[in-house]
Amino acid sequence: MQDLFFETIAVQRMEMMSRLVSVGACNQEDKAIALDWLAELNAELLKNLIEKDKKNPQNGGSDSGLLQ
């Protein structure tokens, strides 16, 4: 679980920002900027999770010892 701590925080922050943008008094330009930023954050988070999954020995990742 420790491995997913920072990812969980990132998802919580993205969720909060999504709520604020959707109900807040933002103009269309602000909403577009926020959505673009959320997309970038999400892509980076997904990349990190995929990389961690590749290294996870329990899932047969590259550090499982099978490739040595």
Side-chain angles (χ1 to χ4, degrees), residues 14 17 32-46:
M14 289 187 293
M17 192 167 77
I33 291 169
L35 290 174
D36 287 342
W37 188 30
L38 282 169
E40 289 175 17
L41 292 171
N42 190 35
E44 183 178 333
L45 179 63
L46 185 59

Side-chain angles (χ1 to χ4, degrees), residues 26-63:
C26 299
N27 62 32
Q28 288 302 99
E29 184 179 355
D30 291 341
K31 287 182 181 185
I33 291 169
L35 290 174
D36 287 342
W37 188 30
L38 282 169
E40 289 175 17
L41 292 171
N42 190 35
E44 183 178 333
L45 179 63
L46 185 59
K47 182 181 119 187
N48 290 342
L49 288 173
I50 289 171
E51 193 62 34
K52 283 186 180 185
D53 192 46
K54 286 180 184 177
K55 293 181 178 180
N56 187 351
Q58 287 83 14
N59 291 339
S62 61
D63 288 345

